[in-house]
Amino acid sequence: MGRFSSREIPTERMATTSNALGIPLGGVRVRFAPSPTGYLHVGGARTALFNWLFARRQGGTLILRVEDTDLERNRPELVEGILDGLRWLGVDWDEGPYFQSQRLDLHRAAAEKLLASGAAYLCYCPPEKYAGGDAVEETEDAKKEAGPRRVTRCACRTGKPAPSNQKPAIRFRVPLDATTRFNDAVFGPHEVANEEIEDFVLLRSPKEDQGHGAPTYQLSVVVDDIDMRITHVIRGSDHISNTPKQVLLYRAMRAAPPVFAHVPLILGADRTRLSKRHGATSVGSYRDEGFLPEAFRNFLALLGWSPGDDTEFLRTSELVSRFSLEGVSRNNGVFDRAKLEWYNTQYLQKLPIDDLLPAVQGELERAKLWQPEWAAAKREWFSKTVDLLRPRTRLLPDFSTWARAFFSDSFDYDPRACEKFWKDERLGGMLDKLADGLALLPDWNHDGCDHVLRELAAAEGVKAGLLINAARVAIVGQAVAPPLFETMVVLGQERVVSRLRRAVKALAAR
RNA sequence: GGCGCUAUGGUGCAACGGUUAGCACGUGGCCCUUUCAAGGCCAAAAUGCGGGUUCGAUUCCCGCUAGCGCUACCA
């Protein structure tokens, strides 16, 4: 894929205007700006991750800014969930969270200033005239019949007489007969004729009882990005079409635009934009399902970014050291859950055991199976047991469900396991004898257990596999488990013998 | 409809004018085996279409097609 040289954007570029926050000048400054209208979805999470990686790589600053200027849809209670999601992902921020809703005066002042300088004008049109939602039914047919839709350029622009009872909005006066350009760090040069850009609203017309209107997104982002001295705007490519408007605003405010870097969108399996009907789309749901953050982060980083070669496992430090905007793809990518699961199984197996233990502890605590001594006196045992179990796990909850018998004496026999391995009627007697033999073992170890079982199998004239599989069901209740003798060692002699006796009774009762 | 962006197997990426188009997930098969995973090996599977430019196009240019985004007094 050809990359033109125009993509080489100076990363040291920065705004130099003063700001209201008293932040020292200099260095890369990026921001993640979620709006609390929903949970943290995977697309937003990846944008946050890319911002974080870029900031860390450049030794810069990551700012968290909550864009809650949508009075109707904003849900303050969702903010904490978004922050939790970011923390889980390992994305930490250096400043904020700032809330745009607390900066409205700054935004309004900017609009007034633009108005005073002539870069904006008062628009007395009733909101419904241009609002798409309620006024016009936007069916497919209606769209086609509508023909070429004109860019908003109302009479107010040239100062038509104002109706007395209508409170005005402030619109930006797009300079005509010009072209607006910017150089996207991912998508390359981009330009659009100003005729195509509407005179967008900066300040909404005031509601009934209010003295002044609310700023719109376009105004707020630019004002805040200038004020916070953002040097690189890394965000979803759905914002590409908005960017020329913002570039125009930067000019009107006499501020240097930041570097824009748009990252491709994440799509569902049907190649449409990820939404609720695609099932799990919030990072919280993946955390709750028992994915490891390390795996999720690795997977997410490689969706729409590549280090340039075929590397597929990157630790956080490698992600940071290898991340660059040049490696970001321009193609929208499909969220592939199967691959995420693969990453998770890989991390469950490869993570240093000490890094995995806390996650397993958390899972056992959730399941009310946790014993504090496993983190203290019996830590060694816990570590060994988890290590034995992990090659067969896919998600964290496997430790408390499938592997329950390793952490509790209260477990059920899986009916399918019984069906498969407890068929032979002689098993009751044989397991009883196995318990006898194991109970007499002076040294409880792998080879001792192995020897007892194989001797018994030979004496009974059956294949060792018959006893092995039956005994596995007896002591852990599952058809699938780690190798039997290692399992026995970890569970201990007393427990194994008593579980065999219990199985003998269960078998007899059938 | 208008404007914009994108186009390598089913999926995610690599190949930056010259490769038998590479890797990984997934899929199928084989090996290993004490169940099931893991692991190893093998296989099927891609440059959307049409024109240029060039000694040579996956790669550069144009058109078409398709997909996506924007087209709000949402963000």
Side-chain angles (χ1 to χ4, degrees):
Chain A
M1 173 178 307
R3 296 261 126 126
F4 7 113
S5 56
S6 55
R7 288 193 66 194
E8 284 155 28
I9 311 285
T11 51
E12 71 280 6
R13 181 179 186 174
M14 65 192 83
T16 52
T17 44
S18 60
N19 69 86
L21 294 165
I23 296 158
L25 299 169
V28 161
R29 294 172 61 82
V30 296
R31 49 37 165 213
F32 176 59
S35 72
T37 53
Y39 41 66
L40 177 65
H41 58 93
V42 296
R46 193 196 52 178
T47 299
L49 179 62
F50 282 9
N51 271 285
W52 182 82
L53 290 172
F54 185 72
R56 294 294 168 264
R57 174 77 183 100
Q58 301 290 329
T61 304
L62 175 64
I63 294 148
L64 189 59
R65 186 176 73 214
V66 179
E67 309 216 319
D68 55 351
T69 55
D70 185 341
L71 15 292
E72 266 97 61
R73 299 193 306 151
N74 178 31
R75 308 262 307 282
E77 69 275 15
L78 294 175
V79 171
E80 203 46 52
I82 291 171
L83 302 193
D84 280 346
L86 292 174
R87 291 189 196 102
W88 179 73
L89 242 194
V91 169
D92 54 2
W93 52 94
D94 307 299
E95 287 180 26
Y98 299 118
F99 290 83
Q100 278 193 328
S101 58
Q102 294 174 2
R103 304 166 55 80
L104 301 183
D105 290 343
L106 191 65
H107 306 160
R108 286 192 189 105
E112 295 294 345
K113 202 170 166 190
L114 255 10
L115 186 60
S117 75
Y121 60 91
L122 294 173
C123 176
Y124 290 91
C125 299
E128 313 82 61
K129 181 171 175 184
Y130 298 106
D134 303 326
V136 186
E137 195 65 30
E138 290 261 320
T139 64
E140 283 308 303
D141 290 342
K143 271 187 178 176
K144 286 198 177 101
E145 286 167 22
R149 220 221 261 182
R150 297 295 303 276
V151 162
T152 299
R153 209 78 76 193
C154 70
C156 306
R157 181 182 165 106
T158 50
K160 278 284 149 58
S164 53
N165 56 346
Q166 175 68 42
K167 290 183 179 172
I170 297 181
R171 275 186 195 277
F172 185 71
R173 188 191 306 278
V174 173
L176 270 12
D177 300 318
T179 298
T180 299
R181 311 163 208 278
F182 64 96
N183 201 1
D184 194 283
V186 172
F187 285 85
H190 188 103
E191 63 171 67
V192 58
N194 287 7
E195 277 68 22
E196 301 294 338
I197 306 173
E198 62 169 346
D199 280 358
F200 52 97
V201 168
L202 263 19
L203 213 58
R204 299 176 175 94
S205 54
K207 295 270 191 234
E208 303 301 311
D209 44 354
Q210 288 172 301
H212 38 227
T216 61
Y217 164 76
Q218 306 291 359
L219 209 221
S220 296
V221 243
V222 173
V223 170
D224 281 350
D225 283 343
I226 291 173
D227 187 58
M228 295 175 184
R229 297 184 1 270
I230 300 302
T231 58
H232 299 253
V233 170
I234 302 170
R235 60 178 14 166
S237 64
D238 50 339
H239 284 289
I240 263 189
S241 305
N242 287 326
T243 307
K245 295 177 185 170
Q246 293 164 21
V247 170
L248 252 19
L249 270 182
Y250 276 95
R251 290 210 204 304
M253 295 181 188
R254 308 210 177 294
V259 172
F260 291 99
H262 288 95
V263 309
L265 302 179
I266 297 179
L267 273 21
D270 57 1
R271 295 211 136 268
T272 66
R273 206 171 178 171
L274 219 44
S275 69
K276 311 94 234 158
R277 50 172 239 285
H278 288 101
T281 59
S282 79
V283 314
S285 67
Y286 291 98
R287 176 195 54 209
D288 296 346
E289 272 192 75
F291 284 90
L292 295 166
E294 293 87 345
F296 195 78
R297 191 191 310 136
N298 195 152
F299 167 74
L300 216 50
L302 257 25
L303 214 194
W305 173 76
S306 159
D309 56 26
D310 290 330
T311 308
E312 47 201 345
F313 291 104
L314 297 106
R315 290 167 303 178
T316 306
S317 60
E318 295 169 318
L319 247 22
V320 168
S321 67
R322 300 190 65 171
F323 186 81
S324 78
L325 262 18
E326 285 70 37
V328 176
S329 164
R330 299 184 194 124
N331 298 0
N332 292 344
V334 171
F335 187 90
D336 183 358
R337 184 187 164 101
K339 192 153 192 177
L340 203 214
E341 289 183 2
W342 175 77
Y343 268 110
N344 208 57
T345 60
Q346 293 297 315
Y347 270 88
L348 277 167
Q349 284 172 73
K350 291 177 180 164
L351 220 49
I353 190 71
D354 287 338
D355 292 347
L356 179 60
L357 259 23
V360 178
Q361 175 177 341
E363 170 56 30
L364 293 178
E365 284 170 345
R366 260 192 296 283
K368 307 257 192 298
L369 294 176
W370 176 251
Q371 312 271 338
E373 59 176 354
W374 295 340
K378 300 191 75 175
R379 185 187 161 85
E380 200 58 34
W381 172 84
F382 181 58
S383 173
K384 216 183 150 201
T385 301
V386 170
D387 206 28
L388 184 64
L389 255 11
R390 64 168 165 171
R392 264 153 276 256
T393 54
R394 300 188 67 78
L395 295 167
L396 250 13
D398 290 338
F399 285 99
S400 62
T401 56
W402 163 74
R404 180 185 176 92
F406 287 80
F407 303 106
S408 169
D409 287 323
S410 147
F411 64 92
D412 298 323
Y413 301 116
D414 175 12
R416 289 185 314 244
C418 302
E419 171 71 19
K420 194 172 175 189
F421 293 127
W422 276 6
K423 273 206 163 120
D424 198 309
E425 295 103 45
R426 298 168 295 172
L427 248 20
M430 289 190 279
L431 289 185
D432 207 27
K433 286 179 189 167
L434 179 60
D436 292 341
L438 290 173
L440 293 172
L441 257 186
D443 292 312
W444 188 252
N445 56 45
H446 178 285
D447 290 352
C449 295
D450 187 310
H451 185 72
V452 168
L453 184 139
R454 287 182 199 281
E455 289 278 284
L456 177 62
E460 296 285 331
V462 299
K463 290 204 287 188
L466 178 74
L467 282 183
I468 288 171
N469 290 328
R472 179 181 295 112
V473 178
I475 68 177
V476 299
Q478 298 290 326
V480 175
L484 181 65
F485 304 118
E486 294 177 56
T487 298
M488 286 180 165
V489 169
V490 139
L491 285 177
Q493 187 169 26
E494 192 183 329
R495 200 164 249 160
V496 168
V497 171
S498 73
R499 287 183 184 185
L500 285 170
R501 303 277 190 219
R502 173 150 70 106
V504 171
K505 284 185 196 139
L507 243 11
R510 291 162 73 90

